[in-house]
Amino acid sequence: MNYSVIPEPREMQTGTKTLFTLTRLCNISSEAGCEKAEACLKKFLSDAFSLELLGTGKESVILRIDGTMQKSESYILTVKENEVQIIGSDEAGVFYGVQSLRQLLFQGNLELPEVYINDGPRFSYRGFMLDCGRYFFTKEAVFVFLEMMALHKLNTFHWHLSEDQGFRAQIMSKLLLTEIGSYRSHTNFNKRKHEGYYTVEDMKEIVEYAHRLCIKVIPEIDTPGHTVAMIAAYPELSCFDRDLTVATHWGVKHDVLCVGKESTFTFMQEVIDELLETFTDGAFHLGGDEVPVTRWRLCPHCQKRMKEEGLKNEGGLHTYYLDRMARYLKSKGTEPIMWNDSIKELMVSKDVTWQLWNDDMDKKDVVSEINSGRPFIMSNLRAYYLDLPYAQVSLKKTYEFEPVYEGIKKEKEHLVKGVEACLWTEFVPTMQKAGYCTYPRLGAFCETAWSPKEKKSYKSFLSKLPPYYSLLKGYGTDPASLSQANPGPVSKAGNLIWWERRKLCWAGLSNLIDNAYVKKTYGKK
């Protein structure tokens, strides 16, 4: 049989004759620093094959670290007669070698031929984002996402914890954020309430679980926009201390944090301080996208701030807020990350990492920013937004997208830190729908994240899908079929028509009515 691995290794050779059979007598010999890899392998054997190792036979799996290997997270896997050896450059390298071994063992039903794999990642940042603000996913569900990330050799979990429709992270000094902000009365046009949040202990447990899988966790509290749930809990965060309820419909809301009040910054700094006690991986996502300035134009606090800071327009207020919060994070030894901004007169500091997601920046602007020194994480919605229908983002489109644009100077390519796939959940309320949207696209995505560019082949990737699908289903995941993931013209047209129903949920008319009310009530004050 033909053995394969997703993502495609840098170098892989296989024989035909079976040389190794893993039985319950097999012994695992691991050096210090390989505990995570050993635990992962044992869990896989138990879950997939109900196999508990006795360690008394002649077969052995050897795990060790060789610090002289130059590239971090790299490994060499060899299968010889009665022996599997994985040598990693570091703890993560051994762990990723085990991920390849898991796939090989699953395909061969615990039998392996001679194998040689020399492998390592293309990008140091290989991310997956889960939006829990729109729909809350249980702690156990998050564990499943983390396990699947590890299988795909992804190393950064970006956890989107706040939205207009729900605030999900318990803050002990601001308990109303979850007591009020985690609950909404219904969603769009149904009558079902939705609620849920992660306690401090839940979040610590999830971070610890991720660390056991060599995954860093980056929390996101999206501000100053997407904050209706926060304002519902603490009305003083808004420009006019308005009493609001947690948003029930999707779409961009016009009530945002008041950037003119100093108390807003104090509040947010206290929230960050608390979260950094749990999220210790050295990065924090500030959000920063989709911030209407309609309230700021009317707000005396914001207008006063603009005058004091010499800002020419409300767009400058947006930059002021993000720059100030970024400086605060850096003072805490934490890297600030935010969604990309459109090119404008006053720009956020160049040492702040932008996560590219939308079409506001065309390629020449992105290239210009990178060449002038700004780090980027590439999450282009046209390729890496997993919630979008396959009619818009097909499996082939995800696979073939190249995140390092032409025109980026060779010496600046390192500023493309990596790539991230995003699962927004406006229309992903269940794990079943999440599985359909995420797979097999995550397999295509991880080959860009991990595999050398020159080793990528869509034709070869398609040939690897049968064992990949079997592996996914073995983990209880229900992926989209290949015909669903690459829809034909008729299916594509129907898919797009159905998708456009989402516009009914944007509540744009209510924004216009509310804006007129706010202008009439507060405009002359």
Side-chain angles (χ1 to χ4, degrees):
M1 66 174 293
N2 292 323
Y3 287 81
S4 61
V5 172
I6 292 177
E8 182 67 25
R10 184 167 54 202
E11 179 183 359
M12 180 174 175
Q13 302 169 14
T14 60
T16 56
K17 181 182 178 182
T18 298
L19 294 182
F20 179 90
T21 301
L22 200 155
T23 69
R24 67 177 60 255
L25 301 180
C26 180
N27 173 58
I28 298 181
S29 173
S30 61
E31 296 182 354
C34 300
E35 294 84 1
K36 293 176 181 178
E38 180 179 354
C40 181
L41 179 57
K42 287 181 175 178
K43 184 177 187 299
F44 164 74
L45 294 173
S46 177
D47 292 347
F49 296 99
S50 301
L51 198 62
E52 305 295 334
L53 301 184
L54 299 176
T56 58
K58 60 182 179 180
E59 306 94 357
S60 62
V61 176
I62 299 170
L63 309 176
R64 67 184 182 89
I65 294 173
D66 181 355
T68 65
M69 295 175 66
Q70 293 184 346
K71 191 173 181 62
S72 63
E73 300 183 294
S74 62
Y75 67 93
I76 296 174
L77 185 156
T78 55
V79 179
K80 300 178 181 179
E81 189 166 1
N82 296 325
E83 180 184 285
V84 175
Q85 182 172 237
I86 297 174
I87 304 172
S89 60
D90 47 25
E91 178 183 53
V94 180
F95 184 83
Y96 293 129
V98 164
Q99 305 320 305
S100 294
L101 179 61
R102 289 167 67 188
Q103 294 188 46
L104 297 172
L105 289 170
F106 190 86
Q107 290 170 45
N109 196 27
L110 299 178
E111 293 185 350
L112 298 177
E114 183 178 10
V115 177
Y116 174 80
I117 297 176
N118 187 343
D119 201 10
R122 178 185 181 188
F123 292 110
S124 61
Y125 185 108
R126 306 180 301 278
F128 172 81
M129 189 218 77
L130 177 63
D131 165 23
C132 292
R134 272 51 175 260
Y135 279 105
F136 174 77
F137 285 81
T138 65
K139 178 176 64 177
E140 292 72 22
V142 176
F143 292 162
V144 172
F145 282 112
L146 292 171
E147 290 281 357
M148 298 307 289
M149 283 182 63
L151 182 65
H152 290 79
K153 299 186 176 75
L154 304 181
N155 65 358
T156 306
F157 177 49
H158 172 184
W159 200 5
H160 189 83
L161 287 165
S162 70
E163 265 302 334
D164 293 306
Q165 296 83 12
F167 193 96
R168 308 298 181 194
Q170 185 182 53
I171 307 297
M172 296 306 294
S173 64
K174 309 278 188 293
L175 287 174
L176 294 183
L177 284 173
T178 44
E179 290 178 5
I180 294 175
S182 68
Y183 167 89
R184 64 175 180 262
S185 60
H186 62 283
T187 304
N188 299 322
F189 304 106
N190 67 35
K191 297 181 180 180
R192 299 185 298 274
K193 68 178 181 180
H194 186 79
E195 59 187 326
Y197 65 89
Y198 305 96
T199 66
V200 173
E201 289 306 311
D202 288 336
M203 291 186 289
K204 288 181 178 179
E205 191 174 344
I206 286 168
V207 169
E208 290 171 1
Y209 198 100
H211 288 175
R212 292 198 295 271
L213 300 173
C214 294
I215 295 171
K216 296 179 180 179
V217 183
I218 299 176
E220 179 185 353
I221 303 297
D222 197 354
T223 60
H226 293 277
T227 51
V228 170
M230 296 177 67
I231 293 170
Y234 293 93
E236 63 270 23
L237 291 172
S238 67
C239 287
F240 306 110
D241 298 2
R242 299 184 71 203
D243 288 325
L244 302 175
T245 58
V246 175
T248 56
H249 285 68
W250 312 139
V252 176
K253 311 304 177 187
H254 288 222
D255 284 286
V256 300
L257 298 187
C258 179
V259 179
K261 296 177 182 176
E262 193 62 24
S263 57
T264 299
F265 292 91
T266 301
F267 185 100
M268 284 309 305
Q269 288 168 3
E270 290 172 352
V271 168
I272 287 172
D273 287 348
E274 243 187 81
L275 287 172
L276 291 183
E277 293 178 7
T278 298
F279 298 96
T280 57
D281 290 320
F284 191 98
H285 206 297
L286 288 166
D289 64 318
E290 298 179 324
V291 184
V293 298
T294 51
R295 301 291 183 264
W296 292 351
R297 290 194 183 111
L298 301 174
C299 174
H301 307 289
C302 292
Q303 293 301 309
K304 181 182 178 183
R305 177 81 71 184
M306 284 177 57
K307 185 176 180 180
E308 291 173 346
E309 298 295 331
L311 304 174
K312 295 182 180 180
N313 53 45
E314 287 77 14
L317 271 179
H318 186 196
T319 301
Y320 170 83
Y321 173 86
L322 292 172
D323 255 334
R324 184 166 166 182
M325 297 308 301
R327 288 197 304 272
Y328 184 76
L329 282 167
K330 283 183 278 189
S331 75
K332 296 284 183 176
T334 301
E335 177 192 3
I337 304 172
M338 59 187 67
W339 300 106
N340 70 279
D341 201 356
S342 57
I343 298 297
K344 54 189 180 185
E345 183 178 354
L346 184 61
M347 300 288 285
V348 174
S349 175
K350 288 286 187 189
D351 61 354
V352 172
T353 298
W354 273 2
Q355 184 167 356
L356 181 71
W357 71 278
N358 64 11
D359 296 329
D360 286 353
M361 297 184 73
D362 57 31
K363 286 190 176 182
K364 67 178 179 61
D365 289 332
V366 176
V367 170
S368 176
E369 281 294 303
I370 292 173
N371 285 340
S372 63
R374 186 180 302 283
F376 268 78
I377 298 164
M378 308 304 270
S379 295
N380 309 60
L381 67 90
R382 302 300 176 192
Y384 297 154
Y385 268 29
L386 304 178
D387 59 300
L388 292 181
Y390 286 101
Q392 288 186 348
V393 181
S394 67
L395 179 66
K396 188 173 190 289
K397 195 171 184 179
T398 297
Y399 192 90
E400 294 184 341
F401 181 81
E402 172 51 43
V404 180
Y405 295 164
E406 291 184 11
I408 297 174
K409 298 175 182 177
K410 191 70 176 177
E411 66 271 20
K412 298 293 185 180
E413 286 186 358
H414 70 280
L415 292 174
V416 180
K417 300 172 66 173
V419 292
E420 182 174 294
C422 300
L423 183 62
W424 300 100
T425 60
E426 287 97 330
F427 300 99
V428 185
T430 65
M431 285 296 284
Q432 182 179 10
K433 184 63 182 291
Y436 172 85
C437 291
T438 302
Y439 313 103
R441 279 189 289 207
L442 199 67
F445 166 80
C446 77
E447 291 222 337
T448 297
W450 179 275
S451 306
K453 181 180 177 181
E454 62 274 12
K455 291 288 291 186
K456 288 184 61 184
S457 163
Y458 183 62
K459 182 178 179 181
S460 174
F461 174 73
L462 290 179
S463 72
K464 296 187 290 186
L465 286 183
Y468 177 65
Y469 271 94
S470 296
L471 183 62
L472 291 175
K473 291 178 180 178
Y475 277 91
T477 299
D478 190 16
S481 68
L482 187 57
S483 62
Q484 290 170 326
N486 285 322
V490 175
S491 296
K492 185 174 181 179
N495 202 333
L496 289 174
I497 291 171
W498 177 247
W499 174 251
E500 287 306 308
R501 82 195 191 285
R502 77 196 194 284
K503 292 180 180 178
L504 297 173
C505 305
W506 287 354
L509 180 60
S510 66
N511 278 342
L512 295 175
I513 295 171
D514 199 39
N515 286 346
Y517 167 79
V518 171
K519 186 173 183 179
K520 179 180 179 181
T521 305
Y522 302 104
K524 296 180 180 180
K525 295 183 181 180

